[in-house]
Amino acid sequence: MEFIIKISQFLLSLSLLIVLHELGHFIPAKLFKTKVEKFYLFFDVKFSLFKKKIGETVYGIGWLPLGGYVKIAGMIDESMDKEQMAQPPKPWEFRSKPAWQRLIIMLGGVTVNFILAYLIYVAMSFVYGDSDVKVESLKDGYSIENPLLEELGFKTGDKILKINNVPIVNDSDIGFNLISAEQITIERAGQEQVIDLPEDFLGRYSDSRTKKNFEYRIPFMVGVVSDSSLNVSKGLKQGDIITKINGEELKYFDQLPKLTKGLENQEVSVEVLRADDTKTNMTLKLDENGKFGILPYNNPKRFEELGYYDIFRKEYTLGQSFGAGWQKFTKTISNYGDQLAAIFNPKTGAYKGLGGFKAIYDQFSPVWSWPYFWGLTAFLSIMLAILNLLPIPALDGGHVMFLLFEMVSGKKPSEKFLERAQIIGFFILIALVLFANGNDIFKAVTN
């Protein structure tokens, strides 16, 4: 079921982004009376799952979900239709249109992606508002479970004060600032300390087996007692919180290994806090690995009620949503720009974290959550727009680069040159796709 939910979200998001991106090219092309021969969702290598010709355009769905395309007559693109390009230019062809019209057609896709992302952020602000955890409310700091962070000097209980001298107010600020982090100011036992991060921190983080960084310290709330658990018939309920083991307080889940060490295959007495705030005592058994066989559960509202942290909530009017959406939009663009800068800097090792379709699939939630779905779709829309603007032939940015050269110099690159550039760009893209998806495969095999 988890796979079905995640793949459904993945395909829905991908399809939405591709169709709207291609519409961004299609609409101005039609407005400028340029013939569009094909409009495809996914690639139709050898055959199509569906196709229908309406007017002069064939609309279809391909079988290879790696993208989509519109084939515009008289344009040197990945189709490399040399036969058509060998004919004299026709008035309805792309190559016959003024440079400014061709520029608008080429920028249409990324423009739609940027607009879509902004509108999603506006709608999310209006419908869902904002919620975040105030870091000052995490009285006992963060849980550190990543060996890399421990190696760098972080410890469970550390409070995050600043990243690169930028004060951290909300928990989400950590993720946004960690990409470009060089040093982190923490508070430990009432004293401030500065921990310097190595230049290749992002690369080492990508290599680590766990992608956890600074996690909330939360209690041990019961989610599901597995059928194979020794405690399946003990009467535990979802939402129960184990607060004591053998009389010792268990305030946070990260304290569990310490309290169960050396108690393998033994029975222990536990105190359980129920949803109605009553307490009950019971005896549970640990297996040979010192585990209860219980999957933990995360219930932010309940944790807030119990005082583990404070959740900041803010609602927006429709008018305010446009400003709030703009802040999220620009912040996401800036953050993704930092990611790209790190990826293209070999010293950071961030290229190791570059992922392909599996990496994107993994970002979707195993349970259907519309707020999470739309937030991720907005981010992917921005990612698609920025990547398409890279000045690589075969991408929109490559076409834009040559069009700007033509508009500034007054000289149009020869069709032979554009064909060669397109071939080079195509091989660059193939190499990047193979590298990104190869990273996915390598991580799946080694982790």
Side-chain angles (χ1 to χ4, degrees):
M1 180 58 73
E2 178 180 318
F3 170 76
I4 294 175
I5 292 175
K6 291 183 71 171
I7 197 67
S8 297
Q9 293 178 87
F10 173 78
L11 291 175
L12 176 60
S13 180
L14 191 66
S15 300
L16 178 67
L17 295 176
I18 292 170
V19 168
L20 291 178
H21 177 91
E22 299 306 333
L23 271 176
H25 296 304
F26 179 85
I27 292 173
K30 300 297 284 186
L31 288 175
F32 295 135
K33 302 187 184 307
T34 309
K35 183 179 180 181
V36 179
E37 298 175 347
K38 285 186 174 183
F39 187 122
Y40 260 77
L41 169 64
F42 304 149
F43 293 118
D44 57 326
V45 181
K46 300 297 183 181
F47 68 92
S48 305
L49 297 178
F50 165 84
K51 65 178 179 179
K52 181 176 179 61
K53 187 170 184 178
I54 302 176
E56 62 185 12
T57 305
V58 175
Y59 300 87
I61 300 176
W63 63 271
L64 188 61
L66 300 181
Y69 69 97
V70 288
K71 187 178 185 306
I72 300 175
M75 176 180 171
I76 298 175
D77 56 15
E78 61 274 8
S79 67
M80 300 302 290
D81 191 348
K82 295 183 179 181
E83 183 178 339
Q84 183 186 65
M85 299 304 294
Q87 302 297 320
K90 307 295 192 303
W92 35 263
E93 288 186 334
F94 179 82
R95 55 181 166 165
S96 300
K97 302 300 178 181
W100 67 270
Q101 291 186 3
R102 284 180 278 138
L103 182 64
I104 291 175
I105 292 172
M106 292 316 305
L107 287 174
V110 298
T111 300
V112 167
N113 283 130
F114 280 130
I115 292 173
L116 173 64
Y118 172 60
L119 291 179
I120 288 176
Y121 285 132
V122 170
M124 289 182 66
S125 298
F126 180 66
V127 175
Y128 304 117
D130 280 336
S131 64
D132 212 330
V133 170
K134 292 290 186 183
V135 293
E136 64 180 13
S137 69
L138 298 170
K139 301 177 181 62
D140 295 313
Y142 283 90
S143 173
I144 306 298
E145 300 178 37
N146 191 318
L148 171 62
L149 295 179
E150 293 177 338
E151 179 187 334
L152 295 175
F154 293 99
K155 296 181 179 180
T156 293
D158 287 346
K159 298 179 181 180
I160 308 301
L161 303 180
K162 299 177 184 177
I163 296 182
N164 292 348
N165 288 321
V166 176
I168 300 300
V169 178
N170 300 318
D171 178 72
S172 63
D173 295 336
I174 295 177
F176 273 106
N177 289 279
L178 200 58
I179 297 297
S180 56
E182 296 178 358
Q183 58 178 213
I184 298 178
T185 304
I186 65 170
E187 179 185 323
R188 181 184 297 163
Q191 300 294 318
E192 286 193 16
Q193 297 183 33
V194 176
I195 296 179
D196 294 317
L197 301 184
E199 190 174 23
D200 63 345
F201 169 72
L202 293 177
R204 292 170 65 183
Y205 179 75
S206 297
D207 286 338
S208 60
R209 291 184 177 276
T210 174
K211 294 302 179 284
K212 291 183 177 181
N213 45 65
F214 301 98
E215 307 293 326
Y216 303 152
R217 300 191 73 185
I218 58 177
F220 184 6
M221 176 176 277
V222 175
V224 176
V225 181
S226 66
D227 292 337
S228 60
S229 171
L230 299 172
N231 302 298
V232 68
S233 60
K234 296 291 186 176
L236 287 167
K237 301 177 182 178
Q238 186 179 77
D240 284 349
I241 297 176
I242 298 177
T243 57
K244 288 184 180 180
I245 296 179
N246 284 347
E248 294 190 62
E249 182 182 20
L250 177 66
K251 185 175 182 181
Y252 299 110
F253 183 78
D254 56 60
Q255 298 171 323
L256 185 62
K258 181 180 178 181
L259 296 184
T260 58
K261 186 177 181 180
L263 300 176
E264 296 82 2
N265 291 317
Q266 295 185 35
E267 288 188 340
V268 295
S269 61
V270 302
E271 182 181 86
V272 175
L273 176 67
R274 296 243 137 113
D276 59 0
D277 289 329
T278 61
K279 294 181 179 180
T280 184
N281 296 306
M282 60 179 65
T283 300
L284 301 181
K285 189 169 184 179
L286 294 163
D287 62 20
E288 66 275 10
N289 298 312
K291 306 291 185 183
F292 286 113
I294 299 171
L295 295 177
Y297 188 65
N298 188 12
N299 187 334
K301 183 178 179 180
R302 176 63 170 158
F303 297 159
E304 183 184 26
E305 291 173 352
L306 294 172
Y308 281 87
Y309 47 64
D310 295 332
I311 300 177
F312 163 81
R313 295 179 178 85
K314 185 175 182 179
E315 295 182 352
Y316 300 96
T317 64
L318 180 59
Q320 292 172 333
S321 297
F322 287 94
W326 180 255
Q327 287 185 336
K328 296 170 188 173
F329 175 70
T330 54
K331 191 174 183 179
T332 303
I333 290 177
S334 175
N335 180 257
Y336 190 65
D338 289 341
Q339 291 184 47
L340 276 184
I343 287 172
F344 285 111
N345 180 0
K347 293 181 179 179
T348 67
Y351 62 86
K352 298 177 183 178
L354 188 65
F357 291 100
K358 182 182 181 300
I360 296 174
Y361 163 83
D362 287 341
Q363 296 304 307
F364 286 94
S365 172
V367 295
W368 198 289
S369 167
W370 283 113
Y372 188 85
F373 171 84
W374 287 117
L376 183 54
T377 298
F379 170 76
L380 292 175
S381 191
I382 288 174
M383 183 182 78
L384 179 61
I386 293 177
L387 290 179
N388 262 286
L389 281 175
L390 293 177
I392 299 174
L395 288 178
D396 295 345
H399 291 286
V400 169
M401 176 177 64
F402 293 131
L403 281 168
L404 290 175
F405 171 81
E406 177 185 344
M407 295 173 74
V408 172
S409 67
K411 297 179 181 179
K412 186 176 182 179
S414 69
E415 291 182 359
K416 196 70 176 176
F417 171 81
L418 293 176
E419 286 178 5
R420 289 173 177 171
Q422 190 76 14
I423 293 173
I424 293 172
F426 179 75
F427 280 110
I428 292 174
L429 287 182
I430 290 296
L432 289 174
V433 169
L434 289 175
F435 178 78
N437 287 281
N439 262 354
D440 286 345
I441 296 172
F442 178 77
K443 290 173 186 176
V445 171
T446 57
N447 289 343

